[in-house]
Amino acid sequence: MSSPATAPPAPNNLKRIVAASLIGTTIEWYDFFLYGSAAALVFNELFFPDSDPLVGTLLSFLTYAVGFAARPLGALVFGHYGDRLGRKKLLVLSLLMMGGATFAIGLVPTHATIGTAAPVLLTVLRLVQGFALGGEWGGAVLLVSEHGDARRRGFWASWPQTGAPAGQLLATGVLSLLTAVLSESAFNSWGWRIPFLLSGVLVIVGLWIRLSVDESPVFKQALAQAESRKTDAEQLPLVAVLRHHWRDVLVAMGARMAENISYYVITAFILVYATTSAGVSKQTALNAVLIASAVHFAVIPAWGALSDRIGRRPVYLLGAAGVGLWMFPFFKLIDTGGFGNLIVAVTVGLVLHGAMYAPQAAFFSEMFATRMRYSGASIGAQFASVAAGAPAPLIATALLSDYDSSTPIALYVIAASVLTLIAVGVAKETRHRDLAEVASPEDDEVAAHRAADARTV
């Protein structure tokens, strides 16, 4: 029998919670990916004009990477307060921070106006973006995971994950439209600012929806139980995670390597590779990512549903192996310069990526106890992003510059796939776990002490 905390919620209530998480994550990822696309297309000219074009792109991707450096700090801060105060409050704050920073990027003067202060301001705002996103992901997937029932958790929790391709779709679509209707000089002069300023409107919509949902019932139950025990002061969530769940954190970090690296190579670095090595226009490359992102959005819930039937690990392992095997065909197809081949290369890559990304939300949520779940899932996911997604476009661009070949880049992604196969291969299957019943060793220690006390009476 399901416990009250995990009994299936009313369908309309669950759909509203899923919609709130999806719209919020879409806006946050739109803001984050918009920067990555702009870094590949125009930031090298606008903020690093004195550099060689490829060096300028490297410097542009370096400012892109610093956003990832702030994500672990966001995971620590948001995870701590999310496990203490609740998921909803922190999600509202992350949305406001991300939207404000993105809107401000649309107002930053370029190098031609204020010199070296321009890339400095850009970097600071990118750090704010990264800090906010470091706290967004964990809260969004937990809010859905902890509201839904265990039988379909993989499916429902995968919907916030579709916020990534939806945000990519929205960011790429706006940029593609602008590059189509504006001349290159107009786009470089002022057109690139429009997508960033549009974030202000999107945040208002997302905030209105996110404020309408309830706090997670699993979290409220765990909070009430902790207060009723009135034992010694609870450990800080971070300390508890590192003491009781350090193996799970390492598994989560390893699981993220292939997923994170492959995604940014397929969606961000491709804008550099296709335009410089394959002679494809910016518009063509953007359109290919646009079409592939739509397919990516559609397949993620299907992969999530499959993980409910056969388990998180088999689906995840399929995606990790598939991405590694696809890398050489991926670059061969792009090298042809054909638009159809470009679409196939990116679409197949993102479909295989979805097999990792879809079950990730439920998989990571099921690893950790409720009162340290926000911290544990966020730390595992975001600390990995520093070593994985942050340097991926930078490393790929440097490899292309040094070797003038896609082979080292393909081997780089394959190495990440091997790491993920090892991490997920040694992990335990979590599909049947009840989130309300995932006990931390700390709780087991309390129960053991109580049992010992009872025996002495």
Side-chain angles (χ1 to χ4, degrees):
M1 182 180 297
S2 298
S3 66
T6 56
N12 290 337
N13 185 47
L14 180 57
K15 290 177 182 177
R16 185 171 69 251
I17 292 159
V18 170
S21 293
L22 171 57
I23 291 172
T25 53
T26 298
I27 294 169
E28 297 246 5
W29 282 114
Y30 165 81
D31 293 346
F32 204 75
F33 288 144
L34 181 61
Y35 190 104
S37 297
L41 296 173
V42 297
F43 281 179
N44 58 333
E45 300 175 14
L46 298 176
F47 294 93
F48 306 99
D50 298 331
S51 303
D52 171 86
L54 199 54
V55 174
T57 301
L58 279 168
L59 293 172
S60 183
F61 274 140
L62 187 59
T63 65
Y64 171 75
V66 299
F68 287 84
R71 283 166 69 170
L73 180 59
L76 291 174
V77 174
F78 279 83
H80 171 83
Y81 288 104
D83 283 328
R84 287 298 181 91
L85 304 176
R87 301 12 176 159
K88 176 180 173 180
K89 296 175 183 177
L90 275 299
L91 285 174
V92 170
L93 179 60
S94 70
L95 185 63
L96 289 173
M97 290 183 67
M98 176 66 89
T102 305
F103 185 83
I105 288 173
L107 302 175
V108 172
T110 63
H111 187 279
T113 305
I114 60 173
T116 55
V120 171
L121 285 174
L122 196 66
T123 302
V124 170
L125 291 171
R126 181 62 176 173
L127 286 168
V128 175
Q129 279 191 322
F131 181 83
L133 190 61
E136 162 70 22
W137 180 83
V141 300
L142 292 189
L143 198 63
V144 176
S145 294
E146 293 179 343
H147 271 92
D149 64 290
R151 292 180 299 105
R152 303 191 69 196
R153 185 180 299 124
F155 171 74
W156 289 115
S158 71
W159 279 99
Q161 299 292 75
T162 65
Q168 179 77 65
L169 190 66
L170 188 57
T172 307
V174 172
L175 284 171
S176 182
L177 176 63
L178 289 172
T179 56
V181 301
L182 297 176
S183 66
E184 186 172 354
S185 60
F187 180 79
N188 290 352
S189 176
W190 56 268
W192 67 271
R193 298 182 183 274
I194 294 175
F196 289 93
L197 298 176
L198 180 63
S199 177
V201 178
L202 296 176
V203 167
I204 293 173
V205 175
L207 191 62
W208 173 67
I209 295 173
R210 187 159 276 185
L211 286 170
S212 68
V213 302
D214 297 325
E215 181 56 80
S216 154
V218 173
F219 173 79
K220 289 192 288 188
Q221 181 190 47
L223 182 62
Q225 289 174 347
E227 291 175 346
S228 66
R229 284 200 302 258
K230 295 191 181 300
T231 57
D232 295 336
E234 285 188 277
Q235 290 182 333
L236 293 176
L238 172 61
V239 176
V241 166
L242 296 180
R243 180 182 177 188
H244 302 302
H245 285 288
W246 63 269
R247 290 182 183 85
D248 296 316
V249 170
L250 291 178
V251 167
M253 292 177 66
R256 285 274 281 170
M257 298 305 290
E259 178 269 306
N260 220 218
I261 289 173
S262 66
Y263 188 79
Y264 290 104
V265 168
I266 292 169
T267 60
F269 173 70
I270 188 181
L271 299 178
V272 176
Y273 184 82
T275 55
T276 58
S277 295
V280 176
S281 69
K282 292 179 181 179
Q283 182 68 43
T284 300
L286 283 169
N287 287 343
V289 175
L290 189 69
I291 293 168
S293 294
V295 177
H296 194 210
F297 178 92
V299 300
I300 286 177
W303 285 123
L306 183 62
S307 78
D308 285 327
R309 295 179 63 87
I310 67 174
R312 318 300 182 209
R313 292 173 66 252
V315 177
Y316 213 116
L317 290 169
L318 172 65
V323 161
L325 293 172
W326 183 244
M327 276 302 103
F328 281 111
F330 172 79
F331 285 109
K332 291 295 184 184
L333 287 168
I334 295 173
D335 288 338
T336 66
F339 182 53
N341 286 342
L342 192 61
I343 291 174
V344 171
V346 182
T347 301
V348 173
L350 288 183
V351 168
L352 292 169
H353 170 271
M356 293 182 284
Y357 200 55
Q360 190 179 97
F363 189 32
F364 289 8
S365 299
E366 290 158 349
M367 289 181 184
F368 302 96
T370 302
R371 290 285 282 155
M372 57 189 78
R373 185 170 292 136
Y374 201 142
S375 295
S378 296
I379 291 169
Q382 303 308 333
F383 271 70
S385 69
V386 176
L394 192 64
I395 291 173
T397 304
L399 290 172
L400 180 63
S401 178
D402 290 344
Y403 297 96
D404 193 26
S405 169
S406 62
T407 299
I409 305 165
L411 292 174
Y412 167 52
V413 178
I414 290 170
S417 296
V418 171
L419 286 174
T420 293
L421 287 170
I422 294 171
V424 178
V426 302
K428 295 179 180 179
E429 180 56 60
T430 62
R431 175 166 57 115
H432 296 296
R433 289 183 181 174
D434 185 336
L435 294 186
E437 301 300 327
V438 180
S440 71
E442 185 179 29
D443 292 333
D444 291 340
E445 290 172 9
V446 172
H449 285 308
R450 285 180 175 173
D453 292 340
R455 285 194 297 268
T456 59
V457 173

